[in-house]
Amino acid sequence: MTASSSQRIIADHPEEECAVFGIYDTAGDAARMTYFGLQALQHRGQESAGIAVDDGASIQVKKDLGLVTEVFSEQNLTRLEGVAAIGHCRYSTSGEVGSVQSAHPFVVQVGSTRVALAHNGTLTNPGELVDYLENAHVHEEIHTDSEAAAYIIAHETEKSGSVTAGIAAAMQIMRGAYAMVVIAQGALYAFRDPHGIRPLTAGKLPGGGWAVASETCGLDIVGADELRDVGPGEVIRLNKEGMTVTQGTAPAHRSTCIFEYVYFARPDSVIDGRTVYQSRVSMGRMLAHEAPAQADLVLGVPDSGVPGALGFSQVSGIPFADGIVKNRYTHRTFIEPTQALRRQGIRIKLNPLPSVIAGKRLVVVDDSIVRGNTAKELVQMLRDTGAAEVHLRIICPEVKWPCFYGIDTAARGQLLSANMDVEEARAWLGADSLAFLSEAGLIDAVRGYGPTVDATTDRCTHDGFCLACFNGEYPVR
Ligand code: SF4
């Protein structure tokens, strides 16, 4: 097993598949702007990074394994000339892990049509994609669902002469989750699956031009003003003539991934008009109402548990404290073969502050529990540091089902809550109490309802979000 594949298997949070970025920059510095955009989106994937640039006559690409700053240098960025560019950083859930062949963007050619594509999400009908390509006599070696999508778009564009029509035709074939960016024929295209599962947003550059990104933090870094989210099933074309929006395929029941708000997205991002940071604070507020605790301090597990802890503190009146310090230079939690090494693994990442914790009854707020190994070690570490009690509060419901839409949540047999009820999980984790936010509480928090909302008249429905990893109700087959 390679180092990369072992990392993939042992991560204890759901892992985001990747981020996409695109730009049409009339100043002609598209590659450098894409480099900045990818740096802002690096949290969504650290396995590989890539940029493709279209100068109107040809498309060049540079991609490799590693972080954005490891793959790109002043020298190779200078060589990527053009006004339209797309970029990608990847954490794999399909294709070969740790392989540069699976790195995006994919640049493909069918006849005279050349297309570069980057994808966030997972296509769930690979058999149909392969059938299509065989029938279309595209016999290239294809490594991932995303590469298949690039060939289908190129083939359909070659038939119709229009990239927008080619994308719309491909949308009739592709199933699953996709937020994609494409460059072809000197323009940038951005489009999103009919359920809008993965996020994608567009902005306007101050000096003229456009940018699109998985999250608004990618727009902020290049100075773009947020214009609009790419709607479910929409295709947006951006070039020197401006922005053209068409409905590539009919929108379906909206099912935006709610885990973006819980864990994946950066707190300073806004997704579909909702602030991620404020959503997390509201989750903590809801949790304090649903599952109060008698304690002296509220701590958040950095980073995504901290806003939830602030919200819990606001409603409960229990003081918030900074009691767990995070090492910012590690990415993953490793399941090691022995208890001592497991403890070492988590200590590399998180370190409790004895001066804050010793003798205190703690509410500890975290974003989610997947396998539970990190939470178990954290509880023990807090006890070893002198905590009198540890009450775990989780700002989302129990993760019981795997994700098939671009997130690596592990198999069902490895999910703690798929195999234990709350009391069994509490005992296994060694906590004094354990509680998860309800589905209704989570949705209310993301929608901006306060915890005082009248539950009988104004409780929101599940309309609008994917919650499949909590309830097994998958929006796409
Ligand atoms: S199953 Fe969970 S992680 Fe996957 S898209 Fe749905 S809400 Fe997001």
Side-chain angles (χ1 to χ4, degrees):
M1 185 183 292
T2 65
S4 304
S5 59
S6 67
Q7 283 178 10
R8 172 174 161 182
I9 287 165
I10 62 192
D12 192 35
H13 273 100
E15 293 289 338
E16 179 66 73
E17 182 181 16
C18 49
V20 295
F21 182 88
I23 196 158
Y24 188 89
D25 181 10
T26 46
D29 208 2
R32 198 172 307 273
M33 291 292 131
T34 304
Y35 171 78
F36 293 138
L38 290 183
Q39 276 199 300
L41 298 165
Q42 183 78 82
H43 59 288
R44 297 177 71 91
Q46 297 98 35
E47 217 168 80
S48 66
I51 295 176
V53 180
D54 189 343
D55 64 4
S58 66
I59 296 177
Q60 303 169 68
V61 65
K62 162 74 183 163
K63 57 184 178 178
D64 211 336
L65 300 178
L67 301 173
V68 176
T69 49
E70 293 168 341
V71 173
F72 293 100
S73 63
E74 181 60 36
Q75 247 184 348
N76 60 35
L77 278 174
T78 305
R79 282 200 291 268
L80 293 171
E81 288 180 13
V83 292
I86 57 173
H88 189 271
C89 42
R90 177 173 191 256
Y91 172 81
S92 60
T93 58
S94 70
E96 199 183 330
V97 179
S99 159
V100 73
Q101 284 183 323
S102 301
H104 298 220
F106 291 101
V107 182
V108 306
Q109 182 130 7
V110 174
S112 61
T113 301
R114 197 160 165 82
V115 160
L117 175 143
H119 173 201
N120 176 202
T122 297
L123 301 181
T124 55
N125 62 334
E128 286 167 46
L129 306 183
V130 169
D131 288 348
Y132 170 94
L133 291 171
E134 278 178 9
N135 291 335
H137 305 291
V138 176
H139 298 302
E140 311 295 330
E141 193 182 338
I142 290 171
H143 303 92
T144 71
D145 55 341
S146 315
E147 196 174 13
Y151 272 109
I152 293 170
I153 290 168
H155 186 259
E156 290 291 337
T157 300
E158 181 73 4
K159 279 198 316 195
S160 66
S162 154
V163 182
T164 302
I167 291 169
M171 288 170 110
Q172 310 308 316
I173 300 159
M174 300 187 293
R175 300 273 172 275
Y178 55 88
M180 292 183 177
V181 287
V182 157
I183 44 173
Q185 299 177 358
L188 167 68
Y189 300 80
F191 49 102
R192 201 169 170 199
D193 69 71
H195 294 273
I197 296 174
R198 304 254 71 85
L200 191 59
T201 188
K204 192 163 178 24
L205 295 166
W210 316 89
V212 292
S214 292
E215 293 179 35
T216 55
C217 65
L219 301 181
D220 295 340
I221 200 168
V222 295
D225 290 329
E226 196 192 339
L227 274 181
R228 72 199 299 280
D229 287 295
V230 180
E234 277 184 352
V235 182
I236 293 187
R237 176 177 186 258
L238 302 157
N239 65 2
K240 60 180 181 303
E241 287 144 26
M243 173 190 278
T244 316
V245 181
T246 50
Q247 195 69 46
T249 188
H253 177 79
R254 187 158 185 140
S255 306
T256 302
C257 172
I258 207 159
F259 236 116
E260 292 283 350
Y261 298 93
V262 172
Y263 173 67
F264 302 133
R266 255 175 52 165
D268 51 337
S269 286
V270 179
I271 298 174
D272 290 335
R274 301 179 181 99
T275 310
V276 173
Y277 175 82
Q278 206 51 52
S279 298
R280 287 183 190 155
V281 172
S282 297
M283 289 169 207
R285 292 176 65 87
M286 290 284 182
L287 196 49
H289 272 269
E290 290 186 2
Q294 298 291 320
D296 304 308
L297 294 174
V298 182
L299 311 184
V301 181
D303 293 314
S304 35
V306 173
L310 282 168
F312 197 102
S313 169
Q314 288 166 6
V315 168
S316 65
I318 303 169
F320 169 83
D322 241 344
I324 304 171
V325 177
K326 182 182 176 185
N327 177 350
R328 305 208 174 274
Y329 300 95
T330 61
H331 298 306
R332 304 269 165 82
T333 301
F334 291 81
I335 296 173
E336 299 291 355
T338 68
Q339 170 106 359
L341 285 174
R342 271 204 298 275
R343 183 76 45 84
Q344 187 63 41
I346 184 171
R347 275 210 184 268
I348 289 170
K349 208 170 153 189
L350 301 172
N351 201 18
L353 281 170
S355 59
V356 174
I357 287 169
K360 298 290 195 304
R361 297 170 301 162
L362 307 176
V363 170
V364 179
V365 180
D366 203 355
D367 55 77
S368 56
I369 294 182
V370 179
R371 293 175 182 82
N373 50 301
T374 299
K376 186 178 171 71
E377 293 301 330
L378 178 65
V379 170
Q380 189 55 51
M381 214 159 69
L382 292 169
R383 290 202 189 284
D384 293 347
T385 310
E389 293 176 15
V390 180
H391 301 274
L392 270 182
R393 294 293 180 271
I394 310 299
I395 58 170
C396 72
E398 298 160 83
V399 175
K400 293 183 175 178
W401 299 87
C403 176
F404 300 103
Y405 308 134
I407 305 299
D408 188 2
T409 45
R412 224 181 155 219
Q414 298 172 305
L415 299 174
L416 182 74
S417 295
N419 298 288
M420 292 186 198
D421 65 22
V422 176
E423 174 49 27
E424 288 169 335
R426 181 207 64 73
W428 185 78
L429 293 168
D432 292 281
S433 72
L434 169 67
F436 296 83
L437 185 61
S438 68
E439 274 184 28
L442 175 60
I443 296 166
D444 284 353
V446 175
R447 288 217 166 140
Y449 290 93
T452 53
V453 67
D454 180 348
T456 56
T457 59
D458 201 16
R459 206 79 202 223
C460 55
T461 67
H462 291 192
D463 216 24
F465 297 107
C466 175
L467 295 148
C469 48
F470 310 126
N471 60 21
E473 293 170 19
Y474 293 95
V476 186
R477 180 167 56 89

